[in-house]
Amino acid sequence: GVDDFFKVASHGNMSFPTDSNDDGNLDVFGPYHIDADKGTNCSDHGLWRVMARQAAARDGVNLGQYQHQVFILPHYQDLGCRWAGLATLGCFPPDNCWALITEANSSLVVEHELGHNIGMHHASTDANDDEVSDVEYADHSDPMGNEFVEKGFNAPHVVQMQWNRGLDRKSTRL
């Protein structure tokens, strides 16, 4: 799952536990129906988050105890949204970190969006070698460049996150 991916990719430095409130249950809530007009624009995702949080609160869920909140909106892909997921770049109060996912069965999209939550930008490339990143998602060595391929983060992201600190260099052999 997503937690295992981050544990491995970060060399044990990061995880997203599935029971972070320690009640013995998986921290998944819903499903909730939100009354967003199906004809609405895909840019209304702020309203969708508010309605999802309100629905969870009516069900007795305190989302305020979770720093990272992932909302799965499977039917909103039908709106023709040009995104499979959206997320904050880093964490900012009062909303903490959030991610919206329209690809309901894709842990790869969740991993990509949680990468944004922890501060990673897209893994882009400089296609014509002019020192300008002009292809935003084209670095396929990293889930931040191509979230549809399961692999660890590339070296720049590992260094950015400081996940390379303390690695035993002697254990790496070619």
Side-chain angles (χ1 to χ4, degrees), residues 127-141:
N128 57 5
D129 202 24
D130 65 355
E131 298 184 18
V132 175
S133 294
D134 47 0
V135 184
E136 186 174 7
Y137 291 97
D139 181 351
H140 299 288
S141 70

Side-chain angles (χ1 to χ4, degrees), residues 30-96:
Y32 303 114
H33 175 76
I34 60 174
D35 294 324
D37 176 26
K38 283 290 190 180
T40 192
N41 185 304
C42 294
S43 65
D44 289 339
H45 54 80
L47 175 62
W48 298 342
R49 287 192 319 278
V50 167
M51 289 189 295
R53 285 187 178 113
Q54 290 171 343
R58 283 192 300 273
D59 197 32
V61 177
N62 176 12
L63 292 179
Q65 66 185 327
Y66 300 98
Q67 180 180 20
H68 297 273
Q69 300 171 5
V70 177
F71 301 95
I72 308 294
L73 305 168
H75 301 294
Y76 290 87
Q77 195 174 43
D78 299 340
L79 292 173
C81 297
R82 294 175 32 154
W83 44 269
L86 295 172
T88 58
L89 182 61
C91 298
F92 306 98
D95 289 331
N96 296 316

